[in-house]
Amino acid sequence: MRSGLVFALLLLLLAPLAPAAFAPPAFAQDAATEMPPMPRPRPNRDATPPVTPPAARTPATEAISALTTVPQPVSLKARITEDGTTIPEGLVWRIFGTTPDANGELALVAKSDEAIASVELPPGEYVVHVAYGRAQASDTLTVTEGANEKSFVIGAGALRLNSAITGDIAIPANLLKFDILTAGDEATRTTVAEGLRPNEIVTLNAGTYHIVSHFGDVNAVVRADLRVEPGQLTDATLYQKASQISFKLASEVGGEAIADVEWTVKTADGTTVFTDLGAFPATVLAEGEYRVLAKQGETVFNRDFEVKAGSSQEIEVLTTAH
């Protein structure tokens, strides 16, 4: 009797739980038919990356996260040629990320001017640029866990330029300068270096270059295409067909120079190529025919003359000739 009563009481206590315990399972597709579909999530570029809830972190996830963010040692070196030795100095290393910013530029993440660059970078992909003088090379770099090493071959050569007047007449260094451009059509050339002085050694990537020699500042210009070979110094002399010219105005042949004279030099077609003020103006002119005008006060004196390549010349203008 007593046991029957206890059993009845247990049935009454368990009765409210029975419907839940035996209710049919609910499936996701069933729930979807009862509520409108949720919009697809869109990434927020300005938002902070989601952080894994502490409860979801495990020793394994912590270890993986640490490996992907801890900087790893990276060693970079370069050679001039494939079988050459490591370049001992003069290198500039720049390391960039691989994701362009809004302007399409890659972010600079590290820089070094050591011969063998030693940096630390988080694992990932990078772009490395190395410059040696005006020679340069770029390549991708993958940083992984542990020590990372990469060697670059720049393929560089050197160029040393000079000029002389036809006949091997030396030209004063202060009157010479050189420009180096890429080879090809004039419209597509780009400047590699400009204003170089004679005998200055320039390091360049191996290849063909267009060289421009300027003798003075007027019209004595010579051009040539030169080939730079990897691992070699190329010496080149460009010959000028020009001469240094000086002027003076005198009242008689061999007389004293008259001061405060305005000078103008024109080519045969009337183009003005040189102007100056003084008693002894000087310039450099390419071979050809010219006319010089010497103005003193309101009076203008002139003389036709010819320039031939060779030693310097003095052009004397007399006040007895107009």
Side-chain angles (χ1 to χ4, degrees):
M1 171 96 182
R2 197 168 201 176
S3 60
L5 181 60
V6 171
F7 179 73
L9 288 173
L10 288 174
L11 287 176
L12 289 174
L13 290 172
L14 294 174
L17 301 177
F22 295 96
F27 294 96
Q29 59 267 33
D30 296 332
T33 59
E34 299 176 1
M35 57 188 301
M38 297 293 290
R40 293 176 60 86
R42 296 181 179 275
N44 183 355
R45 298 182 183 274
D46 299 325
T48 303
V51 179
T52 305
R57 293 184 181 274
T58 65
T61 60
E62 293 285 356
I64 294 173
S65 176
L67 288 176
T68 58
T69 57
V70 173
Q72 303 296 311
V74 178
S75 178
L76 305 170
K77 58 184 178 181
R79 303 189 304 275
I80 290 178
T81 59
E82 188 69 43
D83 56 353
T85 58
T86 300
I87 299 174
E89 59 182 358
L91 294 173
V92 177
W93 300 89
R94 291 181 176 87
I95 304 171
F96 301 87
T98 56
T99 303
D101 60 16
N103 298 321
E105 301 291 336
L106 299 180
L108 178 67
V109 297
K111 181 180 178 181
S112 174
D113 57 4
E114 298 295 328
I116 300 179
S118 296
V119 297
E120 291 189 344
L121 299 168
E125 299 294 325
Y126 299 89
V127 175
V128 179
H129 177 275
V130 56
Y132 182 47
R134 288 179 172 83
Q136 54 189 321
S138 298
D139 201 357
T140 57
L141 169 68
T142 301
V143 177
T144 58
E145 180 187 2
N148 296 264
E149 294 184 357
K150 190 174 181 69
S151 181
F152 290 74
V153 176
I154 299 181
L159 184 61
R160 182 164 55 194
L161 301 168
N162 205 343
S163 280
I165 299 172
T166 300
D168 284 325
I169 299 173
I171 298 175
N174 64 322
L175 294 178
L176 275 177
K177 60 183 179 181
F178 299 88
D179 298 334
I180 302 176
L181 299 88
T182 56
D185 297 334
E186 184 175 356
T188 61
R189 292 177 190 144
T190 58
T191 301
V192 178
E194 58 184 352
L196 299 173
R197 290 304 177 184
N199 296 315
E200 182 177 345
I201 296 177
V202 185
T203 304
L204 302 165
N205 287 103
T208 301
Y209 294 88
H210 185 74
I211 311 301
V212 184
S213 169
H214 301 271
F215 178 18
D217 299 318
V218 182
N219 60 356
V221 177
V222 174
R223 299 171 178 268
D225 288 339
L226 296 176
R227 174 75 184 176
V228 175
E229 299 294 342
Q232 297 182 20
L233 170 63
T234 300
D235 269 308
T237 298
L238 282 67
Y239 286 92
Q240 291 274 358
K241 294 183 177 181
S243 180
Q244 298 180 65
I245 307 295
S246 62
F247 304 93
K248 79 171 184 177
L249 178 66
S251 58
E252 60 182 1
V253 176
E256 292 292 328
I258 299 173
D260 300 324
V261 179
E262 296 180 39
W263 297 90
T264 302
V265 177
K266 296 178 178 290
T267 59
D269 63 3
T271 302
T272 298
V273 293
F274 175 74
T275 60
D276 201 356
L277 174 64
F280 296 100
T283 188
V284 175
L285 296 174
E287 283 188 330
E289 296 182 348
Y290 300 86
R291 168 169 289 191
V292 58
L293 296 91
K295 182 179 180 182
Q296 184 190 33
E298 297 302 320
T299 306
V300 178
F301 308 94
N302 64 73
R303 175 183 169 181
D304 293 336
F305 66 99
E306 182 180 3
V307 174
K308 294 183 178 180
S311 301
S312 59
Q313 306 173 39
E314 181 181 76
I315 305 299
E316 186 177 63
V317 181
L318 301 179
T319 58
T320 56
H322 290 263

